Amino acid sequence: MTVAIATTLAGKAVEVAGEPVRAAVMEITRRVRERFYGRPSEERALARGAEEPEVLQGAVRRLLDEDPDFRSELEGLWNQAHTEASATDDGVVNVFSGQAQSVVQLRDVKGTLNIG
């Protein structure tokens, strides 16, 4: 999520699957920009994001680390968007949330399948 936010903040296109995810990335980016406003080091990182993406990523990480509630809010938006993602045409969307020792996600299995 941090890389997607920093990439979008830097004005670069982000490859995301589906409109819900794209909308969430834009909303998250807007909220991070608002938090950066009036903070000189973050504003500098934002201005130089295209040339120094690692600096911008670090600024985003610091922002999320110093405000766990804000991080949770953004993670909620991110997770909700992934849950709402839907496949079109011949596409596939796999959503997994939670804890598991093993996860298997399949599509179009033809023939015998043995999982052991």
Side-chain angles (χ1 to χ4, degrees), residues 68-100:
D69 291 336
F70 186 59
R71 174 188 285 275
S72 293
E73 185 180 319
L74 298 187
E75 286 174 347
L77 286 170
W78 183 259
N79 292 333
Q80 180 181 356
H82 280 267
T83 301
E84 293 173 0
S86 62
T88 58
D89 298 322
D90 204 21
V92 175
V93 174
N94 288 318
V95 177
F96 174 78
S97 179
Q99 297 179 330

Short mmCIF file of all heavy atoms in Angstrom, two decimals, residues 68-100:
data_model
loop_
_atom_site.label_atom_id
_atom_site.label_comp_id
_atom_site.label_asym_id
_atom_site.label_seq_id
_atom_site.Cartn_x
_atom_site.Cartn_y
_atom_site.Cartn_z
N PRO A 68 -1.16 5.62 14.17
CA PRO A 68 -1.76 4.31 13.95
C PRO A 68 -3.25 4.37 13.57
O PRO A 68 -3.73 3.54 12.81
CB PRO A 68 -1.57 3.57 15.27
CG PRO A 68 -0.47 4.30 15.96
CD PRO A 68 -0.54 5.72 15.50
N ASP A 69 -3.96 5.37 14.10
CA ASP A 69 -5.39 5.49 13.74
C ASP A 69 -5.55 5.85 12.27
O ASP A 69 -6.43 5.31 11.59
CB ASP A 69 -6.07 6.55 14.62
CG ASP A 69 -6.19 6.10 16.07
OD1 ASP A 69 -6.19 4.88 16.32
OD2 ASP A 69 -6.29 6.98 16.94
N PHE A 70 -4.70 6.75 11.79
CA PHE A 70 -4.74 7.13 10.37
C PHE A 70 -4.36 5.93 9.50
O PHE A 70 -5.00 5.66 8.49
CB PHE A 70 -3.79 8.31 10.12
CG PHE A 70 -3.85 8.87 8.74
CD1 PHE A 70 -5.03 9.38 8.22
CD2 PHE A 70 -2.72 8.89 7.94
CE1 PHE A 70 -5.08 9.90 6.93
CE2 PHE A 70 -2.76 9.41 6.65
CZ PHE A 70 -3.95 9.92 6.14
N ARG A 71 -3.34 5.18 9.92
CA ARG A 71 -2.95 3.96 9.20
C ARG A 71 -4.13 3.00 9.11
O ARG A 71 -4.43 2.47 8.05
CB ARG A 71 -1.78 3.27 9.88
CG ARG A 71 -1.44 1.91 9.23
CD ARG A 71 -0.42 1.13 10.02
NE ARG A 71 0.91 1.66 9.86
CZ ARG A 71 1.74 1.36 8.87
NH1 ARG A 71 1.35 0.51 7.94
NH2 ARG A 71 2.93 1.88 8.81
N SER A 72 -4.82 2.78 10.22
CA SER A 72 -5.96 1.86 10.24
C SER A 72 -7.07 2.34 9.31
O SER A 72 -7.70 1.54 8.62
CB SER A 72 -6.52 1.72 11.65
OG SER A 72 -5.59 1.06 12.47
N GLU A 73 -7.29 3.64 9.31
CA GLU A 73 -8.30 4.23 8.44
C GLU A 73 -7.96 3.95 6.96
O GLU A 73 -8.81 3.52 6.18
CB GLU A 73 -8.33 5.74 8.71
CG GLU A 73 -9.39 6.51 8.00
CD GLU A 73 -9.29 7.99 8.38
OE1 GLU A 73 -9.05 8.31 9.56
OE2 GLU A 73 -9.43 8.81 7.46
N LEU A 74 -6.70 4.19 6.59
CA LEU A 74 -6.28 3.97 5.21
C LEU A 74 -6.30 2.48 4.85
O LEU A 74 -6.71 2.11 3.75
CB LEU A 74 -4.90 4.56 4.96
CG LEU A 74 -4.75 6.07 5.13
CD1 LEU A 74 -3.37 6.52 4.67
CD2 LEU A 74 -5.84 6.82 4.38
N GLU A 75 -5.86 1.64 5.79
CA GLU A 75 -5.90 0.20 5.54
C GLU A 75 -7.33 -0.28 5.35
O GLU A 75 -7.59 -1.17 4.54
CB GLU A 75 -5.21 -0.56 6.66
CG GLU A 75 -3.71 -0.44 6.61
CD GLU A 75 -3.00 -1.07 7.81
OE1 GLU A 75 -3.67 -1.39 8.82
OE2 GLU A 75 -1.77 -1.22 7.72
N GLY A 76 -8.26 0.32 6.09
CA GLY A 76 -9.67 -0.02 5.92
C GLY A 76 -10.16 0.31 4.52
O GLY A 76 -10.86 -0.49 3.89
N LEU A 77 -9.80 1.48 4.03
CA LEU A 77 -10.17 1.86 2.66
C LEU A 77 -9.55 0.90 1.65
O LEU A 77 -10.21 0.46 0.70
CB LEU A 77 -9.69 3.28 2.35
CG LEU A 77 -10.45 4.43 2.97
CD1 LEU A 77 -9.70 5.74 2.76
CD2 LEU A 77 -11.83 4.53 2.35
N TRP A 78 -8.28 0.59 1.85
CA TRP A 78 -7.55 -0.31 0.95
C TRP A 78 -8.20 -1.70 0.94
O TRP A 78 -8.47 -2.26 -0.13
CB TRP A 78 -6.10 -0.39 1.42
CG TRP A 78 -5.20 -1.20 0.58
CD1 TRP A 78 -4.79 -2.48 0.82
CD2 TRP A 78 -4.55 -0.81 -0.63
NE1 TRP A 78 -3.93 -2.90 -0.17
CE2 TRP A 78 -3.77 -1.89 -1.06
CE3 TRP A 78 -4.56 0.37 -1.38
CZ2 TRP A 78 -3.01 -1.84 -2.22
CZ3 TRP A 78 -3.80 0.42 -2.53
CH2 TRP A 78 -3.03 -0.67 -2.94
N ASN A 79 -8.49 -2.24 2.11
CA ASN A 79 -9.08 -3.58 2.20
C ASN A 79 -10.49 -3.62 1.64
O ASN A 79 -10.88 -4.59 0.98
CB ASN A 79 -9.06 -4.08 3.64
CG ASN A 79 -7.65 -4.34 4.12
OD1 ASN A 79 -6.76 -4.64 3.34
ND2 ASN A 79 -7.44 -4.20 5.42
N GLN A 80 -11.26 -2.58 1.90
CA GLN A 80 -12.62 -2.52 1.37
C GLN A 80 -12.60 -2.50 -0.15
O GLN A 80 -13.38 -3.18 -0.80
CB GLN A 80 -13.34 -1.28 1.89
CG GLN A 80 -14.76 -1.16 1.38
CD GLN A 80 -15.45 0.09 1.90
OE1 GLN A 80 -14.91 0.82 2.70
NE2 GLN A 80 -16.64 0.34 1.41
N ALA A 81 -11.69 -1.76 -0.73
CA ALA A 81 -11.59 -1.68 -2.18
C ALA A 81 -11.23 -3.03 -2.77
O ALA A 81 -11.78 -3.44 -3.79
CB ALA A 81 -10.54 -0.64 -2.59
N HIS A 82 -10.32 -3.75 -2.13
CA HIS A 82 -9.95 -5.07 -2.63
C HIS A 82 -11.12 -6.05 -2.52
O HIS A 82 -11.29 -6.90 -3.37
CB HIS A 82 -8.73 -5.61 -1.89
CG HIS A 82 -7.45 -5.02 -2.40
ND1 HIS A 82 -6.71 -5.63 -3.37
CD2 HIS A 82 -6.81 -3.87 -2.12
CE1 HIS A 82 -5.66 -4.89 -3.65
NE2 HIS A 82 -5.70 -3.82 -2.90
N THR A 83 -11.91 -5.91 -1.49
CA THR A 83 -13.07 -6.77 -1.30
C THR A 83 -14.13 -6.49 -2.36
O THR A 83 -14.81 -7.38 -2.82
CB THR A 83 -13.67 -6.58 0.11
OG1 THR A 83 -12.65 -6.90 1.07
CG2 THR A 83 -14.86 -7.47 0.33
N GLU A 84 -14.26 -5.22 -2.76
CA GLU A 84 -15.27 -4.82 -3.73
C GLU A 84 -14.83 -5.03 -5.17
O GLU A 84 -15.61 -4.86 -6.09
CB GLU A 84 -15.65 -3.35 -3.53
CG GLU A 84 -16.36 -3.09 -2.22
CD GLU A 84 -16.58 -1.61 -1.96
OE1 GLU A 84 -16.19 -0.78 -2.79
OE2 GLU A 84 -17.15 -1.30 -0.91
N ALA A 85 -13.57 -5.37 -5.38
CA ALA A 85 -13.07 -5.56 -6.73
C ALA A 85 -13.85 -6.69 -7.40
O ALA A 85 -14.18 -7.69 -6.78
CB ALA A 85 -11.58 -5.89 -6.71
N SER A 86 -14.18 -6.50 -8.66
CA SER A 86 -14.92 -7.53 -9.37
C SER A 86 -14.28 -7.79 -10.72
O SER A 86 -13.72 -6.89 -11.34
CB SER A 86 -16.38 -7.10 -9.55
OG SER A 86 -16.44 -5.93 -10.31
N ALA A 87 -14.38 -9.02 -11.15
CA ALA A 87 -13.79 -9.41 -12.43
C ALA A 87 -14.76 -9.12 -13.57
O ALA A 87 -15.97 -9.22 -13.41
CB ALA A 87 -13.45 -10.88 -12.40
N THR A 88 -14.20 -8.75 -14.70
CA THR A 88 -15.00 -8.58 -15.90
C THR A 88 -14.41 -9.45 -17.00
O THR A 88 -13.25 -9.86 -16.94
CB THR A 88 -15.00 -7.10 -16.36
OG1 THR A 88 -13.64 -6.70 -16.58
CG2 THR A 88 -15.64 -6.21 -15.32
N ASP A 89 -15.22 -9.72 -17.98
CA ASP A 89 -14.81 -10.55 -19.11
C ASP A 89 -14.27 -11.88 -18.58
O ASP A 89 -14.98 -12.61 -17.93
CB ASP A 89 -13.80 -9.83 -19.99
CG ASP A 89 -14.38 -8.56 -20.61
OD1 ASP A 89 -15.57 -8.60 -20.98
OD2 ASP A 89 -13.67 -7.56 -20.70
N ASP A 90 -13.00 -12.14 -18.84
CA ASP A 90 -12.42 -13.42 -18.44
C ASP A 90 -11.50 -13.26 -17.23
O ASP A 90 -10.65 -14.09 -16.97
CB ASP A 90 -11.63 -14.00 -19.63
CG ASP A 90 -11.50 -15.50 -19.54
OD1 ASP A 90 -12.31 -16.12 -18.84
OD2 ASP A 90 -10.59 -16.04 -20.18
N GLY A 91 -11.66 -12.17 -16.49
CA GLY A 91 -10.78 -11.87 -15.36
C GLY A 91 -11.12 -12.66 -14.12
O GLY A 91 -12.17 -13.29 -14.02
N VAL A 92 -10.22 -12.59 -13.16
CA VAL A 92 -10.38 -13.29 -11.89
C VAL A 92 -9.99 -12.35 -10.77
O VAL A 92 -9.03 -11.61 -10.88
CB VAL A 92 -9.46 -14.53 -11.83
CG1 VAL A 92 -9.52 -15.18 -10.46
CG2 VAL A 92 -9.83 -15.52 -12.91
N VAL A 93 -10.75 -12.38 -9.70
CA VAL A 93 -10.39 -11.63 -8.49
C VAL A 93 -10.37 -12.62 -7.34
O VAL A 93 -11.37 -13.30 -7.09
CB VAL A 93 -11.40 -10.50 -8.19
CG1 VAL A 93 -11.08 -9.84 -6.87
CG2 VAL A 93 -11.42 -9.48 -9.31
N ASN A 94 -9.25 -12.73 -6.66
CA ASN A 94 -9.14 -13.57 -5.48
C ASN A 94 -8.94 -12.66 -4.28
O ASN A 94 -8.05 -11.83 -4.28
CB ASN A 94 -7.93 -14.51 -5.59
CG ASN A 94 -8.15 -15.62 -6.59
OD1 ASN A 94 -9.22 -16.18 -6.65
ND2 ASN A 94 -7.13 -15.90 -7.38
N VAL A 95 -9.78 -12.84 -3.28
CA VAL A 95 -9.66 -12.05 -2.07
C VAL A 95 -9.49 -13.00 -0.89
O VAL A 95 -10.30 -13.90 -0.70
CB VAL A 95 -10.92 -11.16 -1.86
CG1 VAL A 95 -10.81 -10.40 -0.55
CG2 VAL A 95 -11.12 -10.23 -3.03
N PHE A 96 -8.44 -12.79 -0.15
CA PHE A 96 -8.20 -13.58 1.06
C PHE A 96 -7.93 -12.61 2.19
O PHE A 96 -7.14 -11.70 2.06
CB PHE A 96 -7.01 -14.53 0.88
CG PHE A 96 -6.67 -15.24 2.15
CD1 PHE A 96 -7.43 -16.32 2.58
CD2 PHE A 96 -5.64 -14.80 2.95
CE1 PHE A 96 -7.14 -16.96 3.78
CE2 PHE A 96 -5.34 -15.43 4.14
CZ PHE A 96 -6.09 -16.51 4.56
N SER A 97 -8.57 -12.84 3.31
CA SER A 97 -8.37 -12.00 4.47
C SER A 97 -8.34 -12.87 5.71
O SER A 97 -9.14 -13.79 5.83
CB SER A 97 -9.50 -10.98 4.57
OG SER A 97 -9.33 -10.17 5.69
N GLY A 98 -7.42 -12.61 6.58
CA GLY A 98 -7.37 -13.38 7.81
C GLY A 98 -6.09 -14.17 7.93
O GLY A 98 -5.10 -13.86 7.30
N GLN A 99 -6.14 -15.22 8.71
CA GLN A 99 -4.96 -16.04 8.93
C GLN A 99 -5.25 -17.47 8.49
O GLN A 99 -6.36 -17.97 8.67
CB GLN A 99 -4.58 -16.04 10.41
CG GLN A 99 -4.18 -14.69 10.91
CD GLN A 99 -3.83 -14.72 12.39
OE1 GLN A 99 -4.36 -15.52 13.14
NE2 GLN A 99 -2.93 -13.85 12.80
N ALA A 100 -4.25 -18.09 7.91
CA ALA A 100 -4.37 -19.49 7.50
C ALA A 100 -2.97 -20.07 7.36
O ALA A 100 -2.03 -19.35 7.07
CB ALA A 100 -5.12 -19.60 6.19
#
